[in-house]
Amino acid sequence: MIVDPYSSGMYFAPAFREAGVPVVAVLSRPPVEVYASSWHPEDFDEVIRYDEYDGDLAAVAARLKELDPCCVVAGTETGVELADRLAAQTVPERANVPALGPARWHKGEMAKAVARAGLPVVPQICTDDAGDVESWIAREGLTGADLVIKPPRSAGTDGVVRVPGGRGWREAFDAQLGRRNQWGVLNDRMLVMQYVTGTEFVVDTFTHDGRHTVTDVTRYSKIDNGAHMAVYDTMEWLAPNDAVVPELVAYTRGVLDAVGMRFGAAHVEVMLTQDGPRLIELNARPHGGGQPRFCRRATGDSQIDRTVRSLVTARPQDVPEHYALLRHTLVVFLVSRSAGVVSNAEVFDGVQDLPSLFHASVHVANGQHLRMTKDLLATLSLGFVVLSHADREQVWEDCRAIREMEKRLVLQEPGPAA
């Protein structure tokens, strides 16, 4: 059972089918526009829509029990909570700790659970009361410090706002409180946290029987783009013997224990600060954006593959503790530095000639109106390029070539409306 099999969740059905396992889709809601291209109903033996059961969890669980599932997993962020609840009712032997459910889908509860486990976290507060935030800022000695405000239930950089020096935090807080995020979830509270600096990493894992295996560790580079913070720049797969990996993995395994992960994929974002690792957020589902396909290129394995193998193999060694880096692999996210109408999209034709090219998803066309890139969804709508090669320097040389193409892109001011 795959709940919301969109984004990277689209890879579950083909992998299970290849292993001879029938697959059923459960939709928490109709697929939103950004996921429309990754929704393939023809891949499933049955499609169960939660809304057709009027949100009756027990009724949906009863239908799932009739089908005798071997697992219930989330395909993407919108399916995390429903998958978690359904798994507890239908396949408890492959479910996460029910009492810690909110810690797996609500960033405020997540940080509390990690702190209770004795792991360091970024100072933060989650509330619907600006007065509470004001008191917290004073109590934590953060007056005049940079802050970050974001929804506790969203993904990517949706709604993430940096507040330099804390100036205007109340306006940023009030602007999002009571609004719906990119998934249509109401921002009934907001998360306010200290802005910390360091290098951001992702530790992707697959857990079975409470055993946390690592499928890959990647390093993000993010940039400020005008007024927009933390715009994705690049993502590079690290070798398992990289000096930072052991510390990141040890911290991540502690986080997974703290939030009650017992089965399934997790995408854990960690900032390595001068004081050590600090959790940014955990997402109890596969790394999105098609990453499993690129991970197979880099490591020969992925969270999708390990999920399937854990259910069809009797040999524990088929799901290893760690990973190997077979090829240096880098995702280059395209960034629009300004807004305007594209007049020379052909500057990106050279991408096809790059020696390390593995995959190109460039969505730039003449006459298209581009907005300045501000978040991950905007980045993915513009496009990205995956580079992979035995020679790391070749990968980075090709990355620099892509940035030169971006610089040559001409965006013109739109003409007056007819």
Side-chain angles (χ1 to χ4, degrees):
M1 308 291 180
I2 316 300
V3 182
D4 289 356
Y6 318 134
S7 184
S8 292
M10 69 184 283
Y11 297 115
F12 273 122
F16 273 116
R17 281 188 174 280
E18 186 176 348
V21 180
V23 194
V24 170
V26 180
L27 307 190
S28 68
R29 69 199 75 188
V32 295
E33 182 180 354
V34 70
Y35 289 149
S37 64
S38 62
W39 168 226
H40 299 287
E42 68 278 6
D43 285 347
F44 298 91
D45 295 83
E46 182 174 341
V47 176
I48 297 172
R49 292 188 49 168
Y50 189 54
D51 57 350
E52 292 181 350
Y53 285 78
D54 297 322
D56 187 337
L57 184 72
V60 177
R63 173 58 187 144
L64 264 59
K65 287 179 182 178
E66 292 174 354
L67 296 170
D68 192 24
C70 62
C71 71
V72 180
V73 297
T76 194
E77 192 64 28
T78 55
V80 167
E81 181 177 353
L82 182 57
D84 212 85
R85 294 184 184 279
L86 288 172
Q89 293 196 25
T90 59
V91 280
E93 70 278 11
R94 292 195 181 97
N96 298 313
V97 178
L100 290 171
R104 294 186 292 275
W105 60 72
H106 189 286
K107 295 178 181 62
E109 297 303 315
M110 185 182 298
K112 290 178 183 177
V114 173
R116 282 196 302 268
L119 296 172
V121 297
V122 177
Q124 58 193 273
I125 184 173
C126 189
T127 181
D128 61 357
D129 188 334
D132 290 344
V133 178
E134 189 169 29
S135 299
W136 172 80
I137 290 173
R139 186 169 63 250
E140 294 290 327
L142 294 176
T143 301
D146 292 354
L147 302 173
V148 173
I149 299 175
K150 62 181 180 180
R153 298 195 61 185
S154 190
T157 50
D158 173 46
V160 180
V161 179
R162 188 174 75 189
V163 187
R167 295 179 296 275
W169 71 260
R170 187 182 292 266
E171 290 80 1
F173 180 91
D174 290 340
Q176 295 200 70
L177 187 66
R179 293 190 176 184
R180 295 193 178 275
N181 66 25
Q182 62 185 348
W183 312 132
V185 177
L186 183 70
N187 294 333
D188 56 352
R189 290 187 288 170
M190 292 301 297
L191 194 65
V192 183
M193 58 199 309
Q194 181 183 6
Y195 176 73
V196 296
T197 58
T199 303
E200 185 177 342
F201 297 85
V202 168
V203 182
D204 289 319
T205 61
F206 171 70
T207 298
H208 62 110
D209 299 318
R211 173 175 164 248
H212 310 307
T213 75
V214 180
T215 60
D216 60 281
V217 178
T218 55
R219 176 171 49 225
Y220 275 133
S221 168
K222 292 184 178 180
I223 59 173
D224 288 348
N225 192 29
H228 308 298
M229 66 162 285
V231 171
Y232 285 78
D233 178 34
T234 62
M235 182 181 77
E236 181 180 19
W237 272 254
L238 298 185
N241 61 355
D242 190 289
V244 301
V245 168
E247 184 178 19
L248 293 168
V249 168
Y251 180 81
T252 296
R253 284 179 167 147
V255 168
L256 293 166
D257 285 338
V259 302
M261 283 293 297
R262 302 292 299 166
F263 181 85
H267 170 70
V268 188
E269 299 177 1
V270 180
M271 182 77 77
L272 188 55
T273 73
Q274 63 179 5
D275 298 317
R278 297 293 186 271
L279 178 68
I280 299 173
E281 62 183 61
L282 174 146
N283 306 105
R285 41 79 176 171
H287 191 146
Q291 193 267 7
R293 177 188 171 194
F294 312 135
C295 194
R296 285 174 186 150
R297 172 73 177 181
T299 71
D301 205 352
S302 75
Q303 293 169 300
I304 303 295
D305 300 315
R306 289 195 186 184
T307 303
V308 175
R309 288 204 308 275
S310 75
L311 296 167
V312 301
T313 183
R315 303 188 308 162
Q317 64 268 29
D318 285 343
V319 186
E321 291 283 342
H322 227 290
Y323 68 97
L325 185 68
L326 306 181
R327 299 175 187 85
H328 297 285
T329 303
L330 180 74
V331 178
V332 183
F333 299 97
L334 300 184
V335 178
S336 178
R337 306 286 179 164
S338 59
V341 177
V342 178
S343 63
N344 64 335
E346 58 274 9
V347 297
F348 288 116
D349 289 350
V351 165
Q352 297 298 325
D353 298 323
L354 297 174
S356 67
L357 177 66
F358 173 64
H359 173 83
S361 182
V362 180
H363 310 302
V364 181
N366 288 332
Q368 176 185 4
H369 185 271
L370 295 183
R371 295 183 174 87
M372 179 183 286
T373 305
K374 67 176 184 177
D375 56 26
L376 182 57
L377 288 181
T379 299
L380 294 179
S381 67
L382 184 61
F384 61 92
V385 179
V386 183
L387 306 173
S388 188
H389 200 275
D391 182 357
R392 184 171 182 267
E393 181 51 40
Q394 182 65 64
V395 166
W396 281 100
E397 181 180 330
D398 291 349
C399 174
R400 291 187 287 271
I402 292 169
R403 294 302 181 216
E404 289 301 317
M405 296 175 201
E406 276 184 349
K407 290 179 183 178
R408 299 199 304 272
L409 186 67
V410 176
L411 300 180
Q412 300 176 335
E413 291 293 328

